[in-house]
Structure formats: structure tokens, C-alpha cells
Amino acid sequence: MASMDDVFARYEKRLAVLEKSNNPFTKGIAWVEGELVPLAEARIPLKDQGFMHSDLTYDVPSVWDGRFFRLDDHMTRLEVSCAKMRMKLPLPREEVKDILVDMVAKSGIKDAFVELIITRGLKGVRGHTPGEEFKNNLYMFIEPYVWVMDPDVQRTGGSAVVARTVRRIPPGAVDPTVKNLQWGDLTRGLFEAADRGATYPFLTDGDANLTEGSGFNVLLVKDGIIYTPDRGVLHGVTRKSVFDVARAWGIEGGKLGPITKKIWDGYWALHYDPKYSFEISYAVVNGTLSNGTGKAAQGILQNGAATLG
Amino acid sequence: MASMDDVFARYEKRLAVLEKSNNPFTKGIAWVEGELVPLAEARIPLKDQGFMHSDLTYDVPSVWDGRFFRLDDHMTRLEVSCAKMRMKLPLPREEVKDILVDMVAKSGIKDAFVELIITRGLKGVRGHTPGEEFKNNLYMFIEPYVWVMDPDVQRTGGSAVVARTVRRIPPGAVDPTVKNLQWGDLTRGLFEAADRGATYPFLTDGDANLTEGSGFNVLLVKDGIIYTPDRGVLHGVTRKSVFDVARAWGIEGGKLGPITKKIWDGYWALHYDPKYSFEISYAVVNGTLSNGTGKAAQGILQNGAATLG
């Protein structure tokens, strides 16, 4: 199993290759209404209810070293979230997965942040006639891996505060198990953290229980035992991975340092485990692409990961 | 002072004129990055933080019978909301007002729903370097008047429920005095109301206090006195108008029916009061406009309201 140094060294090598690429999708690719466009050019209708009332759910799978990680876990959670919101994935799950794999391959991005957003569509719930069908919209994009904590900071640990000017939106108002983008409380928390010279806000529920932070779950190690809030939080897939690694290692005792290290190494090892990830066939991009008009770049598809030309 | 019947009869006449117009902006006009486009064609960047994290504030002034109503009250609230969110109106207030007046005039819409949205911009708060400036984005659109309660229903009264499956997001999580589009709780309330055969959800704060509903404040008349929640709600401009009318009429006693009627009549009379509204000069649109490309229609500006050709 690779250590933190190895994992980051290999990642940085892949990133250097990506940054030299002339593929127009290197900085990101988006799928909007069936069209592939460079992410920076992607636009959505102003009147989409995802913008008009943040009436949406989303999920963020990832690609690591050319392998899709726990994609089915993310797709399952997304479908459950949609059902809770009385929405539907507008395309069959397998078709969505195929499109995502194709997008990653076309982008040449080996370590990717992948986002799928499903919105209510152009018609809102207010003024809606019961029984009338909604046409939900799907937006997807892929960009180079986004770190919640930069690799350099991970070596030593980041700085967090327990927010005292804001509390997490309670489950009785907005269900946090439905991944959502109503970040009003988390944004306030980010500002408070920065004001207090820190990076990460941990929000309480207002009754002195920890919940979660701005895009991450909170896990604590105390006397060799891992603790994490169960209520008022998203059931994160990374959190689940921590449980899987801990279970595999039989972790119940030990000290903070070694436990975090074991979990960390085990987490990245999962990314090569066919049980949790599958490899993507990348397109070989030949020469400079003059096509920057938003149409998908053409390339030769090969089996297995290929380096970019 | 006009009665409800008069107010609606005149409105319906204006609406009939609007519906016959061949102005390309009759169904709505949007201002996006300095361009005027028909509302249905307006698009925003997918990566705008207004969509990505609902990191925005907004306001909704209105136009009634060719007069902008309490525009400065809305602009003031919007600026206060921006300040609370550490954002800024990207253009001077007077310039924004001029653009709005121009948009209404070009659209020919005499009774309009007007929305201004200010978003964090393309860069998010997460990962932001303290001190680094944000470039906030402004989006504006105008469309024919949107009724929270249809005129026909206003004659008899709508059906509401006090929601029991959802509570309002508390001020300690998201400040409701900053008008926001994080409608997760309100959307749940709308579904609950529909499931229970009603139209409007009134949300409590979870501690048996009424707060507000899906886009409206709640006011009650009991024993001749008007009551409305003060905490955990938006300080609505319509709510403020109710206070102004009540004060002018010295309302403290009376019965529910006559009080509601007096407030209603007074509310619409305010729309013709230069203290609260100002008249818009409409463009006279000559003949059929072939220009449907999203550029602003040309017309001759006149002083005073003009009927459409």
C-alpha cells in the first residue's frame, strides 16, 4: 500500500502531464442538454429552478489515477436523493455512467472532480398543478481534482474552528441526507473561520452537537476510537470509505497519529480496488485540436489508460 | 379609492392589450452581462456560485399600471442584504434603476414582476484567499406580474395549512432578512400543502411560532388587531405597505372582513401615490418587430405611458 508521499508524488506527475496537454477539455468539460462544451463556456437557463430556488440535488463522484471511484455508491445516493425530492434522473443510470466515462476519457483528466446536478427543471413547485409532470434537468461536469484540503496541508493538518456565529440548517428544515447546494450556513461558517484565522468551519446543530462542515464530514479519534455524527449530516461516501478501511484493519485502538495514517493509506488503496473503482479508457488526442467551439474533441479510443500526445 | 373589482378589471384590460402585442419582450426580458435578451433565452454560467451554492441575494420590486412601486425600498433592502453577505451591487444604484426602467419600457409590460439577483460570482468562498476581491454578478429580469394568489382566489380567499412535516430554516443558520433562494424548506412545505389539498404552507420555527410561507409574509387579524411575526422572517415590502395603510386608516379595531378589504384597497391605492411609485415612459413600438435575436427592440420614447401599437 502506497504511503502519502507516494500517492502525492504520483498525483503531481499526472497533473504535470495534464497541464502540458493541448486538449481543449483539460480545464473542464460540461454536458448541458446533450452537448459537450468546455466547462468555462457552459451555461444554463436563468429560469432553471436550480438557480431560481436552488431546487436541486447533486452528487460528486471522483476519478483517481484514471479509475472511477465508488461511482455506483454515488449514483445510488443520487437516485435516493431524487426520490426524496420527488424528482427523477432524466436519463437511465447506465446511460449517465456511460456519458460520464466518455467525458472523462475525452478530457484526458486522470484525477477528476465529477459533479452531477439534477434540478426541478424550468417549472417551479409554486403554482404547480398537482399531478402535472415536471421535466427535471440534468447538468454534469468534470474538472481537475478539487481538494477540500490541499496536499501540502494534509501532511501537517489544517486549521478548523467550531463556528459560533452560525449553526447548521436542521434536518427538520432541509434534509441534509439529500445532498444540496443551499450553502447559506456553510458560507457564513467559511467567513467566520477566515475571520478567526482558520480554514475550516465545523458547524453545530445549535444544541452543542457537532454536525458537519463546508463540504466535508467530521470524524474524531478519541482514545483509539473513531467518532462521527450520525444525525443532521450528509452520509458521505468518503465517510463510508473511512468505515470500510477501519473495518478492514480492525481499528478500535491506537493513537491519533497512526490511526489517521492507516485510514489515509487505506483510503487511497481503495482507489485501486476493483470493488470500489473501475478503470477508464482514455482517448489518445493526436496533435493540436483547433476545435474550441464547444463540440466534443475527436480521438481514438483504446482500451486501458493512455498517455496524452 | 378603487375597489377590488375595479383594480382587477383594469388589470385584465391591460393584460389583454399586452397579450395582443408583437413586442418580442412581452413574455419577459432579461439583462445578462449588459445584454438584453428575451427571458426564455437568458442563460447564466453554470459555474456561477449563485447556481453552484445558491450564494446570492435578490429582490423583487414590481411595476403596477406603468408605475414602479417602492423601487427605492427594494433597492435599499437589496443593498443591506448584499452588505450582510459581504457582496456589492456591481453597478451604481441609479444605473441599475435606469436599466430596469429601460427594460420595462422596452418590454411594454405594464404590470410586471421584476427580479434582481446578485451572486458571489464565478469564484466561491471555499478556497478563497482572505483579502482577495470577489467579482459579484448581477442578473435582472422582468416578466408579466406573478400573483402569489390569483385574482379570482383573492375574491374569496385561498387555502393554507400550517406545515407539520417541515419547519422554517432558523435565523441562526440562514438569515431570513437577507432575501434568499434557498427554498428547500419552503418547497417541502408546498408539497405538503398540495398533499393536504391546500395551496399555501405556513411554516413554524419548530417551537410553535408562525414564521412565513413560500414567498409571502403572514398577517393575522384577531379582535380587530393585525398581528405578524417579527422574528425569523423576511421584512417584506408588502408587509411594510400593510403597516403603512393600517397606520393611515388608524386601524386598530373592526372585524376581519372589513379590515382586510380596507388594507387591500389601500394597498393598491399606494401604487398611484408618488410617495411610493413613479411612472415609466414606455416606448411606442411601431409595427411588427422582426428582431427576435435577443437585441433590444428599437422604439420612440415618449413621456407618459403610451399604448402599444
Side-chain angles (χ1 to χ4, degrees):
Chain A
M1 198 157 57
S3 74
M4 190 181 271
D5 282 342
D6 294 331
V7 168
F8 285 145
R10 288 194 214 137
Y11 161 72
E12 271 144 33
K13 264 191 201 157
R14 294 192 298 272
L15 193 60
V17 171
L18 184 73
E19 281 166 357
K20 269 183 243 146
S21 161
N22 48 23
N23 181 330
F25 297 133
T26 293
K27 285 187 179 143
I29 180 171
W31 184 96
V32 177
E33 291 160 11
E35 294 275 310
L36 293 179
V37 291
L39 179 54
E41 295 170 20
R43 296 175 90 86
I44 65 158
L46 188 154
K47 288 301 289 292
D48 190 294
Q49 290 296 316
F51 180 53
M52 294 309 298
H53 293 103
S54 204
D55 196 3
L56 60 82
T57 185
Y58 79 116
D59 220 296
V60 180
S62 63
V63 170
W64 186 256
D65 199 0
R67 305 176 68 92
F68 244 116
F69 185 57
R70 306 196 83 148
L71 181 54
D72 272 307
D73 287 321
H74 287 279
M75 293 304 299
T76 297
R77 182 173 66 185
L78 184 61
E79 285 177 348
V80 171
S81 293
C82 282
K84 285 183 182 173
M85 290 189 68
R86 308 192 190 187
M87 305 201 308
K88 265 185 203 151
L89 201 57
L91 294 175
R93 178 179 178 145
E94 291 307 317
E95 194 173 333
V96 170
K97 285 167 63 180
D98 287 348
I99 294 169
L100 287 174
V101 168
D102 180 56
M103 287 167 75
V104 178
K106 285 198 168 109
S107 74
I109 303 172
K110 293 292 173 65
D111 308 288
F113 175 98
V114 178
E115 187 161 335
L116 302 91
I117 306 172
I118 298 170
T119 72
R120 186 75 55 193
L122 293 176
K123 289 206 78 173
V125 176
R126 183 169 56 163
H128 167 257
T129 314
E132 198 190 344
E133 200 126 353
F134 289 100
K135 202 191 146 292
N136 301 146
N137 282 340
L138 169 67
Y139 303 102
M140 299 189 275
F141 67 90
I142 284 164
E143 61 184 335
Y145 204 87
V146 174
W147 296 96
V148 173
M149 185 181 283
D150 279 339
D152 277 350
V153 181
Q154 287 190 48
R155 292 173 201 273
T156 51
S159 57
V161 294
V162 176
R164 56 197 183 203
T165 62
V166 63
R167 63 157 155 150
R168 186 76 179 104
I169 295 172
V174 180
D175 182 352
T177 68
V178 177
K179 201 168 164 77
N180 67 75
L181 291 169
Q182 299 177 40
W183 270 45
D185 52 347
L186 303 175
T187 300
R188 278 167 77 174
L190 282 164
F191 276 124
E192 180 185 335
D195 290 346
R196 293 169 64 189
T199 310
Y200 303 98
F202 292 179
L203 270 60
T204 74
D205 64 359
D207 291 312
N209 305 298
L210 272 184
T211 63
E212 59 192 340
S214 45
F216 54 85
N217 284 116
V218 175
L219 294 111
L220 300 174
V221 179
K222 191 182 165 188
D223 297 332
I225 311 287
I226 299 169
Y227 296 88
T228 190
D230 185 47
R231 190 180 171 277
V233 301
L234 176 74
H235 294 158
V237 175
T238 304
R239 178 174 170 271
K240 205 172 170 185
S241 293
V242 172
F243 299 162
D244 291 335
V245 174
R247 207 174 292 120
W249 282 85
I251 291 178
E252 292 200 274
K255 283 182 190 155
L256 191 142
I259 286 188
T260 302
K261 201 194 162 312
K262 251 185 187 165
I263 296 290
W264 200 100
D265 293 349
Y267 175 74
W268 291 104
L270 291 189
H271 286 74
Y272 296 89
D273 184 337
K275 197 173 145 198
Y276 299 113
S277 68
F278 65 87
E279 202 165 356
I280 296 149
S281 297
Y282 283 78
V284 176
V285 178
N286 299 307
T288 308
L289 283 159
S290 57
N291 184 347
T293 59
K295 295 290 170 195
Q298 296 296 314
I300 301 149
L301 284 168
Q302 283 187 184
N303 283 327
T307 48
L308 285 167
Chain B
M1 197 156 58
S3 73
M4 190 181 271
D5 282 343
D6 294 331
V7 169
F8 284 146
R10 289 194 213 137
Y11 161 73
E12 270 145 33
K13 265 190 201 158
R14 295 192 298 272
L15 193 60
V17 172
L18 184 72
E19 280 166 358
K20 268 184 243 147
S21 159
N22 49 23
N23 181 330
F25 296 133
T26 292
K27 286 188 179 142
I29 180 171
W31 184 95
V32 178
E33 291 160 12
E35 294 274 312
L36 294 179
V37 291
L39 180 53
E41 294 171 21
R43 296 175 91 86
I44 66 159
L46 187 153
K47 287 302 287 292
D48 190 294
Q49 290 295 316
F51 180 53
M52 294 310 297
H53 293 103
S54 204
D55 196 3
L56 60 82
T57 185
Y58 79 117
D59 221 297
V60 180
S62 63
V63 171
W64 186 258
D65 200 0
R67 304 176 68 94
F68 243 116
F69 185 56
R70 306 197 83 148
L71 181 55
D72 272 307
D73 288 321
H74 287 280
M75 292 304 298
T76 298
R77 182 173 66 184
L78 184 61
E79 286 176 348
V80 171
S81 293
C82 281
K84 285 184 183 172
M85 290 188 70
R86 309 192 189 188
M87 305 201 308
K88 265 186 203 150
L89 203 56
L91 295 175
R93 177 177 177 147
E94 291 307 316
E95 194 173 332
V96 170
K97 284 166 64 180
D98 287 348
I99 294 169
L100 287 174
V101 168
D102 180 55
M103 287 167 73
V104 177
K106 285 199 168 109
S107 74
I109 303 171
K110 293 291 173 66
D111 308 288
F113 175 97
V114 178
E115 186 160 334
L116 301 91
I117 306 172
I118 298 170
T119 72
R120 186 74 57 194
L122 293 176
K123 288 206 79 173
V125 176
R126 184 169 57 163
H128 167 257
T129 314
E132 197 191 344
E133 200 126 354
F134 289 100
K135 202 192 147 291
N136 301 145
N137 283 340
L138 169 68
Y139 303 101
M140 300 189 275
F141 68 90
I142 283 165
E143 61 183 335
Y145 206 86
V146 174
W147 295 97
V148 173
M149 186 183 282
D150 280 339
D152 278 350
V153 180
Q154 286 190 49
R155 293 174 201 272
T156 51
S159 57
V161 294
V162 176
R164 56 196 183 203
T165 62
V166 62
R167 63 157 156 151
R168 186 76 179 105
I169 294 172
V174 179
D175 182 352
T177 69
V178 177
K179 201 166 164 76
N180 68 74
L181 291 168
Q182 299 176 40
W183 270 44
D185 52 348
L186 302 175
T187 300
R188 277 167 76 174
L190 282 165
F191 276 123
E192 181 185 335
D195 290 345
R196 292 169 64 189
T199 309
Y200 304 98
F202 293 178
L203 269 61
T204 75
D205 63 359
D207 291 312
N209 304 298
L210 271 185
T211 63
E212 59 192 340
S214 44
F216 54 84
N217 283 118
V218 175
L219 294 110
L220 301 174
V221 179
K222 190 182 166 188
D223 297 332
I225 311 285
I226 298 168
Y227 296 88
T228 189
D230 185 48
R231 190 180 172 277
V233 301
L234 177 74
H235 294 158
V237 175
T238 303
R239 178 173 169 272
K240 204 172 169 184
S241 292
V242 172
F243 300 162
D244 292 334
V245 174
R247 207 174 292 121
W249 282 86
I251 291 178
E252 293 200 271
K255 283 182 190 156
L256 190 142
I259 286 189
T260 302
K261 203 196 161 310
K262 253 186 186 166
I263 297 289
W264 199 100
D265 292 351
Y267 175 75
W268 290 103
L270 291 190
H271 286 74
Y272 295 90
D273 185 337
K275 197 173 145 199
Y276 298 114
S277 68
F278 65 86
E279 203 165 354
I280 296 150
S281 297
Y282 283 78
V284 176
V285 177
N286 298 307
T288 307
L289 284 160
S290 57
N291 184 347
T293 59
K295 294 290 169 194
Q298 296 297 312
I300 301 150
L301 284 169
Q302 282 187 182
N303 285 327
T307 47
L308 284 168

